């Protein structure tokens, strides 16, 4: 009996979304859509996060399986878009941040987002740049809302979200979480389309969709 033929999914890599800038200390940061071959870099990045940072982003996920890492690095760039921010250390590329959104299965005008910046690289504007990139792409692709869930014990993300113009509301099902959401506007300031109602009436489960599912 012949071996089953493997199935491959090939998606066009959106190279036009790559952005490079220099931090005040001279470090060059590259923000780029994730690639399948980033899987080991993502594994190293996740291992390097402090317990608190990991908990804030992944809310209790333990070790990541190969299948979960594959879900984070093999994406379609359309319904699931992920950026990694990388720096070069001793000629090797290291991931210092991960920001992603997943379009709502039912309400295609909304995407749920999450981000995490390595502890040593926080407070240098990398998160801001990453969310700006996610918002701009989402807007260009016709989405109207970006939304997320944040632990109510996460002042850094709540301050970040407030600074970036997200509205904060109570979570209907979990009082340890808050919802944040933002209407997507063009860089010139006009809202896209008309009558985009608040995404706040959506079902729960957003967080789960941004956590890699177990194998
Ligand atoms: C929240 C987080 C993503 C912010 O990323 P970052 O790259 O450090 O953010 P920036 O440097 O772009 O900060 C932008 C603004 O956010 C606010 N902010 C960010 N971190 C803050 C902190 N620790 N305390 C208070 N305000 C903070 C500030 O207003 C800051 O502007 P300023 O530095 O000019 O004062 C990062 O702290 C992180 O990864 N936390 C752990 C994971 C997490 O909580 N993810 C959110 C779950 S979706």
């Amino acid at each position: 009996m012949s071996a089953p033929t493997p199935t491959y999914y090939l998606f066009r890599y959106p190279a036009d979304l790559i952005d490079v800038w220099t931090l005040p200390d001279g470090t060059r940061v590259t923000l780029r859509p994730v690639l399948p071959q980033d899987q080991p870099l993502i594994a190293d990045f996740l291992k390097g996060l402090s317990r608190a940072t990991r908990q804030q982003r992944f809310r209790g996920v333990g070790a990541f399986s190969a299948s979960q890492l594959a879900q984070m690095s093999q994406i379609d760039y359309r319904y699931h878009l992920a950026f990694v921010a990388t720096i070069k250390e001793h000629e090797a590329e290291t991931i210092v941040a991960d920001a992603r959104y997943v379009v709502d299965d039912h309400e295609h005008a909304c995407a749920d987002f999450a981000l995490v910046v390595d502890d040593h690289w926080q407070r240098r504007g990398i998160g801001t740049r990453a969310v700006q990139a996610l918002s701009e792409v989402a807007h260009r692709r016709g989405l109207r809302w970006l939304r997320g869930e944040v632990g109510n014990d996460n002042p850094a993300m709540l301050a970040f979200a407030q600074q970036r113009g997200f509205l904060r509301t109570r979570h209907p099902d979990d009082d340890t979480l808050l919802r944040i959401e933002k209407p997507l506007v063009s860089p010139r300031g006009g809202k896209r389309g008309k009558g985009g109602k608040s995404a706040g009436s959506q079902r729960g489960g957003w967080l789960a969709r941004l956590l890699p599912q177990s194998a």
Side-chain angles (χ1 to χ4, degrees):
M1 205 170 85
S2 62
T5 312
T7 305
Y8 297 104
Y9 297 97
L10 295 175
F11 298 99
R12 191 185 73 80
Y13 183 71
D16 54 311
L17 302 181
I18 298 172
D19 182 20
V20 181
W21 75 100
T22 305
L23 298 179
D25 71 357
T27 308
R28 250 165 90 88
V29 183
T30 301
L31 186 72
R32 60 172 177 78
V34 74
L35 284 161
Q37 54 267 44
D38 287 326
Q39 191 170 324
L41 296 187
I42 290 185
D44 290 345
F45 168 64
L46 296 174
K47 267 189 225 141
L49 297 177
S50 70
R51 210 184 158 80
T53 289
R54 232 173 120 93
Q55 172 64 19
Q56 282 159 344
R57 166 63 179 91
F58 296 102
R59 309 201 69 79
V61 175
F64 291 88
S65 67
S67 141
Q68 289 173 317
L69 294 168
Q71 285 170 45
M72 295 181 79
S73 48
Q74 294 172 31
I75 60 170
D76 62 14
Y77 304 110
R78 179 128 204 106
Y79 294 100
H80 182 180
L81 177 67
F83 283 99
V84 288
T86 69
I87 55 156
K88 278 259 174 78
E89 282 181 321
H90 314 295
E91 289 308 300
E93 198 180 18
T94 303
I95 293 179
V96 296
D98 175 292
R100 54 189 67 228
Y101 73 60
V102 178
V103 176
D104 188 294
D105 291 339
H106 301 282
E107 198 182 343
H108 291 172
C110 299
D112 303 318
F113 87 103
L115 85 153
V116 55
V117 179
D118 180 279
D119 296 73
H120 301 292
W121 294 89
Q122 291 177 6
R123 220 62 200 264
R124 304 192 199 205
I126 296 175
T128 296
R129 195 97 171 198
V131 167
Q132 222 160 357
L134 280 181
S135 305
E136 284 172 19
V137 180
H139 178 263
R140 278 207 302 276
R141 293 181 175 178
L143 299 174
R144 291 190 178 170
W145 290 88
L146 207 54
R147 64 193 179 192
E149 293 183 345
V150 184
N152 61 11
D153 57 351
N154 189 350
M157 184 60 190
L158 292 172
F160 176 91
Q162 183 170 6
Q163 204 230 26
R164 297 237 43 82
F166 284 83
L167 308 170
R168 187 195 298 185
T169 55
R170 290 180 54 194
H171 194 288
D173 309 319
D174 185 340
D175 56 15
T176 69
L177 292 176
L178 292 164
R179 283 181 169 171
I180 54 169
E181 60 184 35
K182 186 172 86 156
L184 294 167
V185 295
S186 74
R188 283 190 300 279
K191 262 187 217 170
R192 186 183 177 91
K194 287 202 277 187
K197 72 173 161 49
S198 161
S201 59
Q202 291 307 296
R203 308 159 315 288
W206 300 343
L207 186 67
R209 297 168 55 243
L210 284 155
L211 298 175
Q213 304 301 302
S214 42

